[in-house]
Structure formats: structure tokens, C-alpha cells
Amino acid sequence: MKLVSDYFGCMVFDDKVMKSMLSEEIYNTLKRTIKDGRSLNLSVANAVAAAMKDWAISLGATHYTHWFQPMTGITAEKHDSFISPDEGGRVIMEFSGKELVRGETDASSFPSGGLRATFEARGYTAWDATSYAFIKDGVLCIPTAFCSYGGDALDQKTPLLRSMEAINRQAMRVLKLFGNEDVTSVKTTVGPEQEYFLVDKEIFKKRKDLVYTGRTLFGAPPPKGQELEGHYYGVIKPRVQAFMNDLNEELWKLGVLAKTEHNEAAPAQHELAPVFTTTNIAADHNQLTMEIMQKIAKKHDMVCLLHEKPFAGVNGSGKHNNWSISTNTGVNLLEPGDTPSENAQFLLFLCAILKAVDDYQDLLRVSVATAGNDHRLGAHEAPPAVVSIFLGTELTEVLESIEKDEPYGAKEKELMRVGVHTLPKFPKDTTDRNRTSPFAFTGNKFEFRMLGSSASVSGPNTIINTAVAEILKQFADELETADNFETALHDLIKRVITEHKRIIFNGNGYDDAWLKEAAKRGLLNLKTTPDALPYFVKEKNIALFTSHKVYTEREMYSRLEILLESYCNLVNIEAKAMADMAKKEILPAVSKYARALSETILAKKAVCDSLDCSYEKETLTAISTLTANAYASVQALEKALDGTKKVKGAAKLSVYYKDKILPVMEKLRASADELENLVSAEYWPIPTYGDLLFGV
Ligand code: ADP
Ligand code: MG
């Protein structure tokens, strides 16, 4: 039997391998440059590259690639082989330090939102040495950042790394104030819980909507849905278990800490959660996880659906982004401490997050805005589009007592004073944990639950890191100049609670009453992607990102352009796929069935005039009306699609798609789904929800 501990990380050029393959001097220099975030000098890079190549070749690799995350949402790789001709007409295997640290690539086919001038199509990739290289399918993959030749970020990793530096800078200032002399850096950590669906490959292939768009555009609800809740944490089917076993093995070889696996609420829905790690690595690993999930599913004759809403009327898939911040000495700053001083520090970080989430609720909403996720947020299965924080009753009561200068709890006689009193212990895993909150405190971390399942976690974490960095900066500016630290700290915390408590909501986020209450509190409710995206470039948000050097203003506008375009493209593909399926599959099939019914009626009449034809006649009437409605919707959809040509500008176009295309698609679907319920199964041209959801 293979022991996991023996093969875990065997495809990773990790610390252990580096130590064994590099000279002590090179190893130490490499570690130091990684830690300080400086660039490698060429002789060190050459030595590392040579070791990496030897290691990779010994494991059967023939190629290398700079593995990066362009704004397409998926990873990109261009393979180069190690071979280089030698004088004797043979080849030697080569890989230089220059090739390791920096690659050149043709950037012209990746979305740039207008950043890349056409005359300068080149881009370059630069090694993120804090994320280990690994071997995947015989290719040495080097995790890299991707920029235009002018230095503009064209990917997800660059801004994420910049945001990690920003929060490190500001958190260090705050930690100094509390006398943490031993701490030299802080890092944010992330553990993303990944939801997905598995469907049978043969059934999948018969659904053009799934093939082209990843979600079903038609489909009547099956007799059995998820109402029995029998699937959640249910026994895992053997075929799914075999998939999970393979998946775990592959991920473990790549050093991904895949930890928990279980069935989710909907039939055919599952979840995988890793052990958390440093944010940029967690982002790389989540990207890898999604890729490997799809690959392994195919091997098991299944398809892994990562779309946010593959099936209407059945829960969609999200990704819970568990986020925290900890020091290089191993202290989790979101863990309430044991001493009054530790508690005060905890409260200050907590308040920074309260204020960050309140001040930048628009950005958090923007960070999860995609066409796919619009089907989930606010749909009574996922958090609403309104951003709020869950703190739990106990912590909320503590904050209230600080705000009002009132005693905390029944037993306490004295007033709660920051820096003097210890906080009560908060239960970490209470069973009544709120699962409807978009941003929930779960004992020693926050869980941001609005992410769509297919999203990269880089965008949301770039925003959380930068927003919290900004508030920590404001706090440090104020506290560094205070005469009396304790008093200033108490006043600051009190003020933040008073000003930002509107963002705290401990109730049921799925309740409509909350939306009313949230509106009263002045919280934003940006229902759709076209509503949300323009907020990205609000003046305060440009100020935030540029002052912390996370995005330049140019980069922000380019990103907005890319996001708007991708929304429009997605809806456009869906609309076209839908019209196509209706015209070429559904309507012809229904027509054939109508003919069969008509022929039956005629045949019956020929036998005996008085034979009852009520079933045939009534069905024929109903499906004829529905067919006419569906056909009218197809025509309306095609006309509306034609209308897109007249709309100028990506922002306007996205609104057009939302207001003029999506509603027609819904109408078409309604008629078609009703038809599905009337037409004989023998005639219905595409697999049903029942086939898809219970086919594995
Ligand atoms: P649940 O489904 O109850 O929310 P899971 O165990 O599925 O819990 O997922 C919790 C996730 O939170 C895991 O990925 C875990 O590693 C992660 N996590 C735990 N502590 C931290 C932390 N300090 N920072 C970031 N993520 C964390
Ligand atoms: Mg969770």
C-alpha cells in the first residue's frame, strides 16, 4: 500500500528538495531573497534552475512552463522543452536562471482591457518564488506573475502579491504599537472550500447548453429534487468515491493539502476543502484543484461542473473563502487572546475588519460579481447581494458594552475597558453557526461566502487585504501620535463600533425582512453584475488601490473593461446556445410529437368515430400553444441579440444584456420547460434533470 506521507508533495520542488539539491550557500541566499521579496541574482538563479531541471528530468519531465493566471479565470501555460542541440547533432537538456525567473510571452491573445498597445504585444512572466514549482503531466510548472511589457499587471497574481505586501506593511506598524518586537512579518491565510457537481460524461455530451456554457439553459424540475435533504453529508457513491480517491492522490502529490470531502445539499453536488495556507499559495492551489478536478472526472467518465448555477431550482455552487492574518511567529491575529493586551490587539484587528467591510462593501460585492454568480446571490441558497458581517451574539455584546460604556454580561460589575479586561472565550464551533451571512466570524477567521465556485480567490483576497491594510494604516496613523496609547486605543475602538455597527447582522441573511432592514441602514444592495461593476472605479476605490500600490488607475479601468466584456460574452454565448437548441432540437422534436398525436387522432377516427381522443387532442392543443410561444421567444431573442450591435460601450452593453436578453431567455425557458412536461419521453431530445442529477 502506498503511504500518503511517502508521496505527499513528491511532484513539488519544495523546501526539502531545495535543501538536498542546492549548496548551503545557494539555498540560504534563495531563502533570504524569497523572504525579503527581492529578485534573485543571476548566479543564484542559474544554480536553482540547474537543480530544478535535474530534479524535473529525474521525474520524467521534458518541458517547462511559466504557469500563470491571466484574467480569463483559468490558468495558462506555454510549454518549452528543455532540449538544446549540441555539436554532435544530439541534444542536451538545458534550463537557465534567466529562463527560470523571467519568461517572455505573446500577450496579445489574453484579455488586457486596452492596456496592451497593439504595437507592443509582448508580455513577460516573473517567477513567484514563494510558491513552489511543481510537475504536472510531465511539465515543470513555475508559478509566475504576468505583466505587460510596460509593467501593467495582466493577471490575478500580481495584484494579490502587492496586496499582501500592503497589509504586511500596515499590520506591522500596528503590531509595533503593541510591543510585538519579535514579529518581522505578517501573512494572510486562506482556506477555500470548493463546491462542484459531477455528472455522467455521456449524458453531459448530449446537452449542448452544458457543453457550451457549463449550465443548463433548459430543464424542468425532476420529480425528486433536493427537498429531502438526503444528499448533504450522505453516503458517498462508489463511483464518486473512486473519483475523490484519485483526486486526493493527485492533489497530495502536488502538495495540495486536500483535507475534507463530502456530499453537498444538492444531488450530485460535492465539496472539497483544503487545510488553509498562505494566500498566494492557496490561490495557486485552488486553481490547480479546479483543473485537476476536471481532469480526474473525465478519467472516471464524468464531468465536473464548476459553474455557479448548473441547474435551476437546485442549489448552486459557491466557494467559501476562509481568511485570517497571522504573524511569522505563528500567532493568528484573529484569535482572541488570553491576556488583556492580547485582547485589545484582537479587538483592534477585528474593528479594522468591521470598518474595512463597511467602507468597502461595494468592492467586496464587485469581487464576486460574475454572470454565473448572479444566479446565486440573493436567491435564498446563498448570501444576499448585501454585504454584512456576522459576529455572533457574544462578541456583539462585548462590542456593545464597549460602545455604551456598560457592564458586559450578567456577572461583570465593572465596565469593559479595552486593554484592561480579558474577553470571554468565544466558542469556535458552536452548532448554531450562522450559515447565511456573507462575511462570518468563525472563532479565529472570517468566512467570506459570496464567492462563486468557478472564481479565482485572488480577486476577493486582493480586495480584503487592501481594504484591511487601508484601515490599519488609518489606525496606525492615529495611534502612533497619541499621547496616551491605552486611552486613544479605547476611544478609537469605541468610535469604530459606533460608526460601523450597521454592518453587523447576526440574523437570517436569507430573510426578506433583512433586505428591508439593510436598506434602512444604508447598506448597498447591488443585485447584479452590471449594477455592481461600475463601483470598482469610484473615486474612493481608486484612491484605495493606488495609494497602496495594488493597482494603478490604468490597471483598474482595464480590469473593469475585462470584467464587463466577459459578462457580455458569457450572456451572449448563452443566448445563442439557447436559440440554437430551441430551433434545432426542442422545437423539431415537439413538432414530431405533435404529428404523432395528430396521426393517432386520425387513426382512431378511422377505426371508430366515437373513440375518445381527449388525451391526444388536449395535449396537442397545449403543446401547439407552447410551441408558438417558444418560437415567438426565439424570434424575440434573436432580435434582441441583433440589437446589441447598436449599444456602445461595455457598461451600457452589460446593462442591455441584463435587461433585454436575460428576461427573454427566461421566457423561452419557461415555455420549453412546460413542453418538457407534456412531450413523450421518447420524443424529448435532450437528457432531463433527472438523468443529469441522478445519472452517476
Ligand atoms: P465549514 O464547512 O464548517 O465551514 P470546513 O472544515 O469545511 O468548515 O472549512 C474550514 C476551512 O477554513 C478549511 O479550509 C480550514 O483550513 C480553513 N481555516 C481554518 N483556520 C484558518 C485560518 N486561520 N486562516 C484561513 N483559513 C482557515
Ligand atoms: Mg464553510
Side-chain angles (χ1 to χ4, degrees):
M1 206 175 80
K2 284 187 289 187
L3 289 180
V4 179
S5 51
D6 287 343
Y7 68 80
F8 185 87
C10 66
M11 290 298 177
V12 185
F13 192 74
D14 60 12
D15 202 59
K16 208 174 105 203
V17 184
M18 287 188 215
K19 217 172 192 160
S20 72
M21 295 193 68
L22 298 170
S23 75
E24 207 180 318
E25 194 196 329
I26 298 283
Y27 172 80
N28 288 333
T29 325
L30 177 65
K31 289 298 275 188
R32 226 176 310 121
T33 28
I34 290 175
K35 201 169 142 278
D36 301 342
R38 271 185 281 117
S39 49
L40 279 184
N41 80 39
L42 201 58
S43 66
V44 178
N46 278 332
V48 177
M52 226 185 235
K53 177 203 70 186
D54 290 344
W55 168 80
I57 289 174
S58 77
L59 289 167
T62 51
H63 289 68
Y64 72 92
T65 181
H66 279 212
W67 183 76
F68 60 99
Q69 293 152 37
M71 293 293 296
T72 50
I74 47 172
T75 54
E77 41 196 85
K78 178 190 120 206
H79 302 169
D80 276 303
S81 75
F82 291 120
I83 64 163
S84 171
D86 76 356
E87 280 164 15
R90 313 282 297 258
V91 292
I92 49 167
M93 304 298 258
E94 266 186 356
F95 184 49
S96 70
K98 237 168 71 193
E99 288 165 314
L100 166 63
V101 290
R102 190 173 157 122
E104 256 191 44
T105 177
D106 180 2
S108 58
S109 306
F110 294 108
S112 83
L115 270 185
R116 199 185 1 76
T118 34
F119 59 85
E120 186 51 281
R122 284 180 306 166
Y124 69 87
T125 50
W127 183 27
D128 166 15
T130 57
S131 186
Y132 297 133
F134 56 89
I135 296 173
K136 179 171 65 78
D137 300 325
V139 178
L140 170 67
C141 298
I142 301 151
T144 50
F146 174 43
C147 292
S148 78
Y149 230 77
D152 297 304
L154 294 176
D155 68 343
Q156 313 261 24
K157 190 190 265 287
T158 309
L160 180 65
L161 292 173
R162 293 175 185 162
S163 75
M164 289 168 70
E165 276 172 39
I167 196 167
N168 174 47
R169 257 192 314 269
Q170 304 305 334
M172 283 304 294
R173 290 175 64 195
V174 169
L175 288 175
K176 283 262 145 54
L177 290 167
F178 284 90
N180 297 282
E181 295 304 332
D182 50 336
V183 178
T184 55
S185 64
V186 306
K187 272 184 189 152
T188 56
T189 52
V190 163
E193 301 162 53
Q194 177 72 49
E195 291 181 339
Y196 60 96
F197 279 87
L198 286 176
V199 297
D200 184 83
K201 191 157 81 188
E202 288 310 311
I203 303 175
F204 168 90
K205 280 203 271 187
K206 293 187 186 127
R207 295 279 315 214
K208 282 212 187 101
D209 44 4
L210 280 180
V211 172
Y212 290 133
T213 73
R215 80 172 174 111
T216 54
L217 301 166
F218 297 102
K224 178 184 169 201
Q226 68 182 60
E227 55 276 60
L228 298 178
E229 307 259 313
H231 193 253
Y232 191 58
Y233 278 25
V235 179
I236 299 173
K237 287 182 184 159
R239 197 168 159 201
V240 174
Q241 189 61 61
F243 157 85
M244 286 178 172
N245 293 348
D246 258 14
L247 174 64
N248 284 334
E249 189 175 322
E250 195 83 356
L251 290 174
W252 287 335
K253 281 187 197 161
L254 289 166
V256 178
L257 293 155
K259 174 91 173 162
T260 55
E261 54 187 27
H262 60 80
N263 287 349
E264 259 301 327
Q269 192 184 28
H270 313 280
E271 179 185 295
L272 181 142
V275 177
F276 71 95
T277 179
T278 312
T279 305
N280 61 321
I281 298 169
D284 285 354
H285 281 183
N286 181 249
Q287 227 44 65
L288 263 180
T289 302
M290 292 194 285
E291 184 186 324
I292 307 273
M293 273 177 169
Q294 285 167 307
K295 188 176 101 182
I296 302 285
K298 288 222 172 82
K299 214 177 108 188
H300 289 260
D301 292 322
M302 294 188 287
V303 174
C304 170
L305 303 177
L306 290 169
H307 193 283
E308 282 71 24
K309 192 74 181 174
F311 305 100
V314 169
N315 269 12
S317 301
K319 176 142 52 195
H320 291 175
N321 188 84
N322 293 275
W323 179 93
S324 191
I325 167 168
S326 59
T327 67
N328 64 314
T329 52
V331 178
N332 179 350
L333 296 170
L334 296 185
E335 180 100 52
D338 293 324
T339 66
S341 158
E342 284 168 359
N343 284 163
Q345 187 179 293
F346 162 74
L347 281 175
L348 190 65
F349 277 96
L350 187 75
C351 284
I353 294 164
L354 279 188
K355 183 161 163 45
V357 173
D358 191 19
D359 285 353
Y360 299 104
Q361 21 170 317
D362 50 353
L363 283 179
L364 286 170
R365 175 65 185 92
V366 166
S367 80
V368 296
T370 59
N373 217 15
D374 279 1
H375 299 290
R376 286 178 69 240
L377 295 179
H380 296 269
E381 57 169 274
V386 181
V387 177
S388 68
I389 286 188
F390 167 85
L391 284 184
T393 24
E394 279 175 297
L395 198 47
T396 308
E397 277 171 18
V398 170
L399 297 191
E400 274 168 2
S401 64
I402 295 172
E403 185 203 357
K404 296 184 186 132
D405 282 324
E406 279 171 358
Y408 166 75
K411 279 170 272 153
E412 293 266 347
K413 300 220 171 44
E414 287 171 286
L415 304 181
M416 223 19 228
R417 190 86 203 145
V418 175
V420 178
H421 292 98
T422 47
L423 299 175
K425 282 266 166 260
F426 307 110
K428 223 171 273 174
D429 273 306
T430 41
T431 40
D432 65 340
R433 261 173 50 179
N434 181 310
R435 295 199 169 269
T436 62
S437 171
F439 209 94
F441 183 65
T442 49
N444 59 358
K445 62 186 186 316
F446 275 95
E447 188 171 343
F448 184 30
R449 302 201 178 109
M450 290 171 88
L451 282 73
S453 46
S454 66
S456 155
V457 300
S458 298
N461 286 298
T462 300
I463 282 169
I464 300 173
N465 291 347
T466 314
V468 176
E470 166 60 25
I471 309 303
L472 291 173
K473 175 188 173 288
Q474 295 172 13
F475 287 2
D477 287 349
E478 184 171 332
L479 294 173
E480 277 167 359
T481 53
D483 295 331
N484 182 320
F485 178 67
E486 296 256 303
T487 313
L489 180 64
H490 187 89
D491 293 347
L492 171 62
I493 289 182
K494 203 170 140 174
R495 196 179 72 232
V496 171
I497 296 168
T498 312
E499 285 171 5
H500 299 284
K501 64 181 176 199
R502 65 167 187 167
I503 198 75
I504 302 172
F505 176 64
N506 291 326
N508 181 2
Y510 297 177
D511 201 342
D512 288 333
W514 163 233
L515 295 184
K516 287 205 193 90
E517 164 69 17
K520 254 198 241 153
R521 294 190 193 183
L523 299 178
L524 284 172
N525 185 4
L526 303 171
K527 295 202 181 83
T528 66
T529 298
D531 296 327
L533 289 181
Y535 279 76
F536 187 53
V537 290
K538 289 250 172 222
E539 209 175 304
K540 71 171 176 87
N541 296 334
I542 293 183
L544 171 76
F545 286 121
T546 53
S547 71
H548 289 278
K549 301 198 165 25
V550 170
Y551 290 119
T552 62
E553 193 169 337
R554 254 158 62 92
E555 287 172 341
M556 289 183 74
Y557 276 98
S558 89
R559 236 145 253 253
L560 175 62
E561 194 71 15
I562 292 171
L563 294 170
L564 287 167
E565 269 172 17
S566 99
Y567 175 88
C568 296
N569 284 342
L570 272 170
V571 181
N572 186 53
I573 294 170
E574 288 185 353
K576 285 198 299 194
M578 213 175 175
D580 200 64
M581 281 175 80
K583 283 195 302 190
K584 297 201 180 128
E585 295 182 280
I586 295 174
L587 294 177
V590 178
S591 201
K592 242 192 209 163
Y593 184 52
R595 182 194 170 120
L597 289 172
S598 315
E599 281 172 357
T600 309
I601 297 169
L602 290 177
K604 278 190 178 177
K605 289 248 182 297
V607 175
C608 168
D609 226 10
S610 63
L611 277 183
D612 184 88
C613 292
S614 55
Y615 160 66
E616 289 84 358
K617 279 186 178 163
E618 280 167 34
T619 309
L620 187 57
T621 312
I623 65 172
S624 300
T625 312
L626 287 166
T627 304
N629 291 348
Y631 182 54
S633 293
V634 171
Q635 287 177 310
L637 188 57
E638 289 184 330
K639 194 158 161 250
L641 277 172
D642 212 41
T644 56
K645 289 181 205 138
K646 286 189 226 100
V647 189
K648 294 275 171 289
K652 284 219 182 85
L653 192 57
S654 72
V655 174
Y656 181 91
Y657 272 106
K658 167 177 73 94
D659 292 337
K660 299 280 187 262
I661 305 270
L662 286 175
V664 188
M665 286 168 63
E666 254 168 57
K667 225 169 136 194
L668 170 56
R669 176 173 187 150
S671 308
D673 290 358
E674 264 190 79
L675 281 168
E676 186 184 331
N677 285 330
L678 292 173
V679 172
S680 147
E682 196 192 321
Y683 283 79
W684 194 251
I686 53 176
T688 64
Y689 267 29
D691 301 332
L692 283 161
L693 289 166
F694 302 98
V696 164

